[in-house]
């Protein structure tokens, strides 16, 4: 269904250029693509160029493609101009269903026939977003993690009206563009990783709301605990090791019954003012005077160190970065 093969793509359009769209722009530039961006906000271009400049030192460390340059970014004055010559489109507009529906229909009308259009949505099924598009077969979800230039994972899934070939094309394209891809064969709200993240976040908010842990305790419990293991081994294999020589079978026999206790509350907590303010001020305390830009730089430095230490930088490992 697509004229350009994933290997031959040179020009990518990014529509919506906030935190995630800007991160995609930085990623695609670093991988040597020509990138055209569009965002309706009056200050969008200045914000986007600041984001790319701030990310570039990390991208240099990750390893740039030959000829990669921030100069290969064009900010288009209209959505139509942004996608007119695109060979792949990444949509990263705000997470509002009506907006996504309307925008994907507009993108579908303006993008050359057959070109795959991916949405960064954090959880809407494509089936619900592709309702207004004239040719929904080329619409897929390509769900990234913040920041897309640093965290390798992207989850790819189509909707009821997506051509399976578009899903295959997108997965192959993302792999060539340096991402680590999970292709899902069915729609699940929240995909995979966000379901897991949300379960943890919900419980963390309950614990803060009930005074059982502070914001700082929650963060330290992960960074000084399971988070260290999760950077190198997922939760399943990690627990298999917790079963000793008996592995996961022993783990299930030993701790399976306590799963029924249950320790955790799966209903979302009420985000009342006290909880809201407590969590926001807890994060301000944790920042300890560092700006968001300082924290982004520190995060990028440390994630790169983990990727390097675990052999996941291009040229010295799996090439996932
Ligand atoms: N922030 C995250 O951690 C994260 C992670 C993965 C996926 N996502 C998804 O990425 C998408 C973007 O989220 P974000 O965090 O970058 O939000 P954001 O608010 O930082 O950026 C959204 C951008 O879209 C622009 N915009 C507004 N209306 C638009 C329109 N009609 N067409 C195009 N652009 C428009 C805004 O000006 C803004 O720059 C959402 O679907 C979100 O669910 C976010």
């Amino acid at each position: 269904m697509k004229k350009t093969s994933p290997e031959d793509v040179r020009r990518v359009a990014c529509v919506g250029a906030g935190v995630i769209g800007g991160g995609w722009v930085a990623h695609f530039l670093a991988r040597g693509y020509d990138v055209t961006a569009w965002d309706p906000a009056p200050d969008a271009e200045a914000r986007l160029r600041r984001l790319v400049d701030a990310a570039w030192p990390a991208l240099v460390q990750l390893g740039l493609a030959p000829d990669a340059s921030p100069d290969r970014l064009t900010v288009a004055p209209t959505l139509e101009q942004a996608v007119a010559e695109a060979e792949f489109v990444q949509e990263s507009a705000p997470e509002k269903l009506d907006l996504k529906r309307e925008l994907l229909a507009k993108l579908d009308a303006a993008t050359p026939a057959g070109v795959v259009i991916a949405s960064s949505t954090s959880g809407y099924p494509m089936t619900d977003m592709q309702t207004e598009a004239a040719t929904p077969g080329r619409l897929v979800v390509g769900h990234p993690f913040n920041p897309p230039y640093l965290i390798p994972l992207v989850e790819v899934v189509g909707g009821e009206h997506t051509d399976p070939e578009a899903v295959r094309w997108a997965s192959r394209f993302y792999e060539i563009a340096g991402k680590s891809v999970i292709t899902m064969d069915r729609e699940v709200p929240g995909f995979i990783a966000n379901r897991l993240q949300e379960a943890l976040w919900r419980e963390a908010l309950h614990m803060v709301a009930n005074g059982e842990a502070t914001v700082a305790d929650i963060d330290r419990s992960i960074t000084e605990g399971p988070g260290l293991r999760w950077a190198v081994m997922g939760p399943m294999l990690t627990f298999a090791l917790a079963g000793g020589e008996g592995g996961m079978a022993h783990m299930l026999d030993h701790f399976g019954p306590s799963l029924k206790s249950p320790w955790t509350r799966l209903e979302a907590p009420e985000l009342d003012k006290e909880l809201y303010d407590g969590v926001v001020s807890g994060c301000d305390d944790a920042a300890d005077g560092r700006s968001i830009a300082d924290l982004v730089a520190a995060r990028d430095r440390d994630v790169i160190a983990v990727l390097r230490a675990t052999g996941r930088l291009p040229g010295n490992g799996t090439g996932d970065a």
Side-chain angles (χ1 to χ4, degrees), residues 238-281:
T238 293
F239 273 180
L241 299 192
E245 289 185 6
M248 181 52 97
H250 176 64
M251 188 68 185
L252 290 171
D253 294 340
H254 192 180
F255 294 109
S258 65
L259 279 178
K260 306 229 179 209
S261 316
W263 289 343
T264 51
R265 314 136 170 118
L266 287 175
E267 293 296 316
E270 194 56 46
L271 278 181
D272 60 23
K273 187 165 172 12
E274 189 185 349
L275 176 58
Y276 190 100
D277 291 348
V279 172
V280 170
S281 71

Side-chain angles (χ1 to χ4, degrees), residues 121-135:
T121 180
S122 296
Y124 292 135
M126 180 46 81
T127 298
D128 293 350
M129 295 192 294
Q130 64 190 172
T131 51
E132 312 297 318
T135 58

Side-chain angles (χ1 to χ4, degrees), residues 16 18-20 39-41 47 92-95 100 103 120 122 143-144 146:
V19 174
I20 292 300
D39 188 299
R47 260 198 288 124
S92 309
E95 190 79 346
K100 295 273 197 202
L103 178 60
S120 297
S122 296
H143 174 239
N146 187 43

